[in-house]
């Protein structure tokens, strides 16, 4: 698992904070651990090259809006 800012950026034009994110990736799987408690209004979008997450919750900066975009190391195989 990685805790890194490589390939990650905050979404929302500076209005959202970046949560602590641990992640790992293989050719066929992606594992995300987004450290927010009591998440609500969460949105997750993903494709072969990128994951985008937005949520309101309690994170390292308290109760706030959090968001991030994660560019993957390589394309995920989304065919099941």
């Amino acid at each position: 698992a990685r805790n890194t800012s490589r390939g990650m950026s905050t979404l929302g034009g500076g209005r959202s904070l970046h949560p602590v994110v641990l992640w790992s990736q293989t050719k066929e799987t992606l594992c995300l651990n987004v450290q927010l408690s009591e998440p609500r209004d969460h949105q997750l979008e993903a494709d072969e090259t990128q994951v985008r997450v937005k949520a309101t919750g309690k994170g390292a900066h308290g109760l706030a809006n959090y968001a991030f975009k994660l560019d993957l190391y390589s394309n995920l195989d989304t065919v099941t």
Side-chain angles (χ1 to χ4, degrees):
R2 293 182 177 264
N3 181 3
T4 179
S5 61
R6 180 194 178 279
M8 286 195 219
S9 62
T10 300
L11 299 174
R15 292 192 204 169
S16 298
L17 299 172
H18 195 293
V20 174
V21 178
L22 303 172
W23 66 283
S24 63
Q25 177 184 349
T26 68
K27 182 178 179 183
E28 291 136 356
T29 63
L30 176 67
C31 181
L32 287 175
N33 180 322
V34 181
Q35 297 184 4
L36 290 178
S37 62
E38 302 177 33
R40 60 181 186 263
D41 302 323
H42 58 279
Q43 300 173 12
L44 181 127
E45 298 176 7
D47 57 38
E48 294 86 6
T49 62
Q50 189 177 85
V51 175
R52 295 163 300 283
V53 176
K54 294 181 184 181
T56 300
K58 291 182 182 177
H61 302 285
L63 180 61
N65 294 320
Y66 291 86
F68 69 94
K69 175 179 75 172
L70 174 64
D71 293 324
L72 303 175
Y73 280 123
S74 62
N75 291 355
L76 287 177
D77 182 2
T78 59
V79 178
T80 56

